[in-house]
Amino acid sequence: MKTRIFLRSAARLASALLVIGMCALAVLAQQGTSIVRGTVKDPQGNVVSGASVKLTSLANNAERTTTTTGDGVFSFEAVQVGDYKLEVEAPGFKKGVVTDIHAQVATPTPVDVQLEIGNIAETVTVSATSSELLVNREDATLGSTFVNKQITQLPLEARNVPSLLTLQTATTRDGYVAGSRADQANITLDGVDINEAQTNTIVGADPAAGTDIENLRPSNTTVLRLNSEAIEEFRVTTSNPNASQGRSAGAQVNLVTKSGSNDWHGAAFEFYRTSAFAANNFFNNKAGHFAATDVAVLTGAAHVGDPKVPRPPLIRHTFGGALGGPIIKDRAFFFYSYEGDRITQSKSVVRNVPLASLGQGLVRYKKDNSGGVATLTLADLNAIFPVGTNPLAVQALAAAAARYPANDFTIGDQFNTAGFRFNAPIPAERNSHAGKFDFNLTSKQQAFVRANVIYDLLGREQQFPDTPAPNIWSHPIGIAAGHTWTVTNNLINTFRYGYTREAFTQQGDSAENSISFRFVFSPLTFSRTLTRITPVQNFTDDVSWVKENHSFGFGTNLRLISNKRLSFDGSFDSAITNPSFFSGGGSSISNRINANVANPIVGSAVGVQNAVTALIGRFSQYSGNFLFGHEGNLLPIGTPSEREFATQEYDVY
């Protein structure tokens, strides 16, 4: 019976500890908070125990109090990032006041106070500015802190805050930190997870970076784009994270949103760059260096227009502002920031196109080393290849050559195919809103609510000037709420809840089967529409308990992740006239030509293989995609693939 009671008691104790762990929050990094600690001494260097210590926020007059231990030590855990004033009182000593204390995110702030003997009615005030340490001596974490002044004043392209994340020791431009991969970084905003949940290598790419949003995730970006005026500060812990941070092997990035205060403050900015500061692309200029007669000789055309490609436009317009202040003095505060970005730009692209001669059914090749050119007609090809040429293929190539006349001879074989170079517009319209409300509920309880709303339209390069552009619509949102409860002077509980939803649609340029002439012409990119919504709910809770000279932390971090995808990527078949799928990788075509003509091919036969395969017009490569429903039934072509996944993560420390 005694044993049974003991086991029940042990089970209850274990359950109680588990509940405490699950209801607790992590202190520094997990919550985006700080610690202010130090030692109080007399003029001889002896510690002063039992001294009263008060920490006051300069922004909203929130106060925290404690007393020094027997060793003269005091510690304020889970302190909100910002500027503070520290007041120390003890019998027989003058009142000591330390001003200009800045509590940095995820970094303990040491503030030692030396009292002077005298009347407590007298005050000795010192500034903590000169005592700021460049080296963290409070714990083993390594990293640097960036404050808002650096964020807003350092020269940043489009005021892109994540660009600063790589300005750390042991960090590369690609986001690799101290040897760890970029996708192993962990990023929080106000203590809430804002990582990209599927790949952890993020949204918010530069509009000119490419065509697929899921492959455009620079390691320096997040689901929520960060407004420069809205970020109070951030710290990148590159090595030796504490237990509350150690979710991943890479960098631990902790960002904090600005708050309102008793004083009104605001900012406005605008940056405008015109195309006058942009030069033309090298290949655009080169395309204009071909004389009309040279192009006519190469293409077989009787006359061509000016092939010059104009300078791509580049206009960047970034603007926005912020405003913060009191709703009720000392009780409620607000902060709002907006940042807009308008980019008008084009990207020089070149596509393979057939020359006019190939559109007429003529295959041209080098017949000798003196520059002589031989030509095979449709009649010649029909005689050499019993299967014959395909009139529909010839018509398609003729239409392509007429619609997209070659103007770039840096690609193709220059006898049958060349390049069509043009400036593909890739505009961007990005809007980011960030708002935060802070409340001093009581002298022992503080709370905040923060919301981020982002609406972006990002252009992507199309296959040709008259084909659809696979543009991207992105609309992530983030909501966070937090509560800090000073239960006693030595016991603090901090809770955070976050909802971060990534949502985007990349519009494809085709909803039909893919048909193309490999190495000769493809009418579209045949990109397919993709939609993904990935909401992440994040619950964290930390308990910080100061006992004498020791600080104990208990915490939990819960992440509930869902991932809903709709994709047309596997919904259509593809057919290609591919010379590589003939015997010998296409040599069967060139060998048959050489065996039946008076002037065999001199030099590379690849161009001839490509051109003849296109004119024959038979699909030598065909891929069929098959989608099945939940019941195992075959779905018709054009049906999207819908998938939904869920992940649950539970961390306790």
Side-chain angles (χ1 to χ4, degrees):
M1 178 64 76
K2 290 182 179 179
T3 303
R4 200 171 292 169
I5 293 174
F6 173 78
L7 291 175
R8 287 177 180 172
S9 300
R12 290 172 182 169
L13 177 61
S15 299
L17 291 175
L18 180 60
V19 170
I20 291 175
M22 297 298 289
C23 296
L25 305 188
V27 189
L28 277 177
Q30 181 171 293
Q31 300 297 346
T33 57
S34 184
I35 293 176
V36 177
R37 61 164 67 117
T39 303
V40 179
K41 298 181 179 180
D42 65 14
Q44 285 73 42
N46 301 314
V47 298
V48 178
S49 62
S52 175
V53 185
K54 181 170 69 174
L55 185 69
T56 304
S57 170
L58 300 183
N60 56 30
N61 287 333
E63 297 180 353
R64 294 265 297 273
T65 60
T66 188
T67 57
T68 58
T69 67
D71 292 328
V73 175
F74 66 90
S75 181
F76 293 98
E77 308 286 326
V79 172
Q80 299 303 310
V81 173
D83 296 322
Y84 290 86
K85 175 179 67 174
L86 187 75
E87 300 173 85
V88 181
E89 296 181 357
F93 295 95
K94 298 179 182 179
K95 180 180 179 180
V97 177
V98 183
T99 62
D100 300 320
I101 299 172
H102 182 71
Q104 296 182 338
V105 60
T107 307
T109 303
V111 182
D112 294 331
V113 182
Q114 187 175 68
L115 297 179
E116 295 185 10
I117 297 175
N119 192 324
I120 197 171
E122 300 179 76
T123 301
V124 177
T125 302
V126 297
S127 174
T129 303
S130 61
S131 63
E132 290 181 352
L133 298 177
L134 297 178
V135 179
N136 175 23
R137 299 189 300 185
E138 298 298 313
D139 58 27
T141 62
L142 299 178
S144 301
T145 301
F146 281 78
V147 298
N148 184 257
K149 186 175 182 180
Q150 295 169 288
I151 296 172
T152 56
Q153 294 187 8
L154 284 174
L156 299 174
E157 178 68 34
R159 294 171 69 90
N160 182 30
V161 176
S163 298
L164 295 173
L165 301 183
T166 59
L167 300 182
Q168 317 284 327
T169 303
T171 302
T172 70
R173 292 191 57 176
D174 296 326
Y176 293 80
V177 180
S180 64
R181 293 173 55 90
D183 59 4
Q184 294 178 351
N186 181 40
I187 305 177
T188 61
L189 177 63
D190 300 320
V192 171
D193 187 335
I194 58 171
N195 298 287
E196 202 286 319
Q198 178 168 302
T199 63
N200 205 38
T201 48
I202 302 310
V203 174
D206 188 294
T211 58
D212 183 354
I213 195 171
E214 294 211 311
N215 295 324
L216 283 182
R217 306 194 180 279
S219 57
N220 303 331
T221 54
T222 58
V223 171
L224 301 178
R225 193 167 63 257
L226 306 171
N227 294 6
S228 56
E229 292 292 343
I231 300 302
E232 178 69 27
E233 66 184 52
F234 67 86
R235 187 189 193 222
V236 180
T237 302
T238 58
S239 303
N240 304 328
N242 293 320
S244 59
Q245 291 180 279
R247 175 175 180 250
S248 57
Q252 309 295 314
V253 184
N254 303 275
L255 302 110
V256 178
T257 305
K258 278 185 179 179
S259 297
S261 66
N262 282 324
D263 298 322
W264 290 92
H265 55 278
F269 63 89
E270 182 177 18
F271 297 89
Y272 189 84
R273 172 185 172 176
T274 71
S275 292
F277 298 98
N280 201 3
N281 181 277
F282 169 81
F283 294 101
N284 285 7
N285 285 329
K286 186 174 182 179
H289 288 166
F290 289 97
T293 53
D294 295 332
V295 177
V297 171
L298 288 168
T299 63
H303 173 73
V304 295
D306 183 8
K308 184 177 181 179
V309 181
R311 178 178 62 178
L314 176 57
I315 301 174
R316 290 182 177 269
H317 188 197
T318 304
F319 55 93
L323 179 66
I327 300 174
I328 302 175
K329 187 175 182 180
D330 293 342
R331 297 299 300 274
F333 315 89
F334 82 95
F335 176 83
Y336 169 76
S337 170
Y338 167 77
E339 190 166 299
D341 196 16
R342 306 290 184 268
I343 303 177
T344 302
Q345 65 179 343
S346 295
K347 182 178 182 180
S348 179
V349 297
V350 60
R351 310 296 189 193
N352 276 306
V353 293
L355 296 179
S357 56
L358 186 61
Q360 299 168 7
L362 305 178
V363 177
R364 306 166 69 243
Y365 62 88
K366 185 178 179 181
K367 69 176 183 179
D368 55 49
N369 292 323
S370 62
V373 177
T375 302
L376 296 175
T377 65
L378 286 176
D380 295 331
L381 295 175
N382 289 329
I384 295 173
F385 300 97
V387 68
T389 57
N390 188 336
L392 295 179
V394 177
Q395 293 176 17
L397 295 174
R403 178 175 293 184
Y404 312 116
N407 60 2
D408 187 303
F409 292 85
T410 60
I411 64 172
D413 67 356
Q414 288 84 50
F415 289 96
N416 305 289
T417 60
F420 177 77
R421 183 175 292 277
F422 66 101
N423 295 324
I426 46 175
E429 179 180 333
R430 301 190 285 193
N431 304 276
S432 178
H433 304 265
K436 188 179 181 184
F437 293 93
D438 292 87
F439 307 93
N440 290 333
L441 302 177
T442 67
S443 61
K444 294 183 176 296
Q445 299 188 61
Q446 291 82 40
F448 77 86
V449 177
R450 184 258 301 159
N452 296 75
V453 178
I454 297 171
Y455 190 94
D456 295 346
L457 291 172
L458 307 178
R460 289 293 179 262
E461 61 188 58
Q462 67 254 64
Q463 180 71 354
F464 289 102
D466 57 353
T467 60
N471 296 333
I472 294 172
W473 170 84
S474 180
H475 185 38
I477 63 172
I479 300 173
H483 178 264
T484 301
W485 180 22
T486 307
V487 184
T488 68
N489 290 342
N490 299 323
L491 184 64
I492 311 294
N493 186 86
T494 310
F495 173 77
R496 296 285 189 270
Y497 168 74
Y499 177 83
T500 304
R501 188 205 69 179
E502 178 180 7
F504 68 85
T505 296
Q506 176 175 311
Q507 186 66 43
D509 71 347
S510 173
E512 299 177 351
N513 291 332
S514 169
I515 299 176
S516 61
F517 303 89
R518 192 181 186 196
F519 305 124
V520 176
F521 177 70
S522 177
L524 297 166
T525 64
F526 293 107
S527 60
R528 309 302 185 181
T529 297
L530 168 69
T531 296
R532 176 152 69 85
I533 300 175
T534 311
V536 177
Q537 297 192 70
N538 189 199
F539 302 84
T540 67
D541 198 84
D542 281 337
V543 170
S544 179
W545 177 35
V546 179
K547 180 64 174 177
E548 296 297 332
N549 297 335
H550 303 282
S551 296
F552 300 91
F554 308 91
T556 187
N557 193 326
L558 283 65
R559 293 176 180 84
L560 308 179
I561 306 169
S562 62
N563 188 332
K564 187 174 182 180
R565 296 166 49 88
L566 186 149
S567 174
F568 286 88
D569 191 49
S571 302
F572 302 96
D573 298 343
S574 66
I576 309 173
T577 63
N578 186 358
S580 301
F581 270 52
F582 285 116
S583 177
S587 61
S588 57
I589 291 179
S590 53
N591 290 342
R592 194 174 185 89
I593 291 174
N594 289 335
N596 288 274
V597 298
N599 297 302
I601 303 168
V602 174
S604 174
V606 172
V608 175
Q609 296 168 4
N610 298 340
V612 172
T613 301
L615 290 175
I616 291 176
R618 269 65 175 180
F619 297 132
S620 55
Q621 177 184 353
Y622 183 87
S623 299
N625 290 317
F626 302 91
L627 291 178
F628 296 87
H630 292 292
E631 293 76 22
N633 56 307
L634 181 63
L635 302 177
I637 290 178
T639 303
S641 171
E642 297 184 62
R643 297 290 184 266
E644 188 165 359
F645 309 92
T647 304
Q648 298 181 357
E649 302 177 4
Y650 302 90
D651 302 340
V652 179
Y653 76 92

